[in-house]
Amino acid sequence: MQKSQVLTDVEIAEARQGVVKKLPEVTLTFWIMKIAATTLGETAGDLFAQTLKLGYFLTTIALFLIFVVTLAVQLRARRYNPFFYWTVILSTSMTGTTMSDFMNRDASAKFLSHGATSLGWGPQGLGLGYPEGAAVLISILIAVFGVWKLTGVTFVIHDIVTFRGEALFWSAILVSNTLGTSMGDFLSDSSGLGYGGGAALVASALVVLAVLMRAAVPNVLLFWIAFVLTRPLGATAGDFLTKPAAKGGLDLGTAGSSAVLLAILFGLMAHAHVQERKKRAALAMT
């Protein structure tokens, strides 16, 4: 029997008990797909808001509606489907990108690209700034976790099987991806580290978290810290790919970078789908 078909005692027990999982196992592939999705979320969000000049206001509304549609599909699914799950992750990443930009930025020339004097219809942004915007988002995220704790629903994502649990999970995902964008933009634009330095700092923090997973630190806590931190890693990586060389980027453009990242993410989703089908087939034979 191939390694991919070997089942754990827990998986066999779940199959016999009829437990249907809606969320994936947290593996190395999971984190690779998370980083790919959040990087694509950064480049695609900037593509719509900045390159196509739709602006943060209109783009945020449009992407939030897309998030609602993709979430509805995920919530109606009977079991874990990699295409449904990662499409919602991608939509939260894109929405989080423009939500963060709308909160933190304004009509100042420093936030407008290519000498533009305006960016789309509607307000250009609230102009809170990265520290204030991050403080607001951290407060919201703490509130979501507080409500989550009061409901008694597990924080272990693989064990979330109820509608209430999924609703809380996706609420936390949307806020954490928005917060991660603010953190990434601060590291890239205001900290003096630049795109490469910001990405290196976040990557180093993730390595520390990986080491702590072997220590006496709750893995659930480490998971959520890592989930937030992979978003600024994607944000800084996305900016590094798309921003002009004069600003320290590779100047590959938002359209080209988004197309390549979408192909990579779609390939990973297809691979995850095949692996999930193999697992189900093997479970059916036990």
Side-chain angles (χ1 to χ4, degrees), residues 82-209:
F83 286 100
F84 295 166
Y85 175 86
W86 288 105
T87 299
V88 185
I89 291 291
L90 175 59
S91 67
T92 62
S93 298
M94 293 191 297
T95 306
T97 295
T98 55
M99 285 176 61
S100 170
D101 289 343
F102 181 75
M103 289 178 61
N104 299 326
R105 299 180 179 184
D106 53 30
S108 302
K110 64 180 179 179
F111 295 126
L112 300 176
S113 59
H114 307 295
T117 57
S118 64
L119 189 62
W121 179 85
Q124 301 294 315
L126 301 179
L128 296 180
Y130 299 127
E132 292 81 1
V136 171
L137 291 166
I138 289 172
S139 300
I140 296 174
L141 187 59
I142 291 174
V144 171
F145 283 133
V147 172
W148 193 337
K149 179 68 174 177
L150 291 175
T151 64
V153 176
T154 178
F155 284 96
V156 181
I157 71 166
H158 183 60
D159 294 336
I160 296 175
V161 295
T162 64
F163 179 87
R164 177 188 293 181
E166 271 204 273
L168 290 166
F169 172 78
W170 288 113
S171 297
I173 295 302
L174 179 60
V175 178
S176 67
N177 276 336
T178 308
L179 171 61
T181 302
S182 294
M183 295 170 61
D185 287 341
F186 171 76
L187 290 174
S188 298
D189 300 335
S190 303
S191 69
L193 294 175
Y195 307 125
L201 177 62
V202 178
S204 299
L206 290 171
V207 171
V208 172
L209 290 179

Side-chain angles (χ1 to χ4, degrees), residues 239-259:
D239 285 340
F240 179 67
L241 291 172
T242 60
K243 298 303 182 182
K247 294 185 176 182
L250 296 180
D251 200 17
L252 299 180
T254 54
S257 298
S258 297

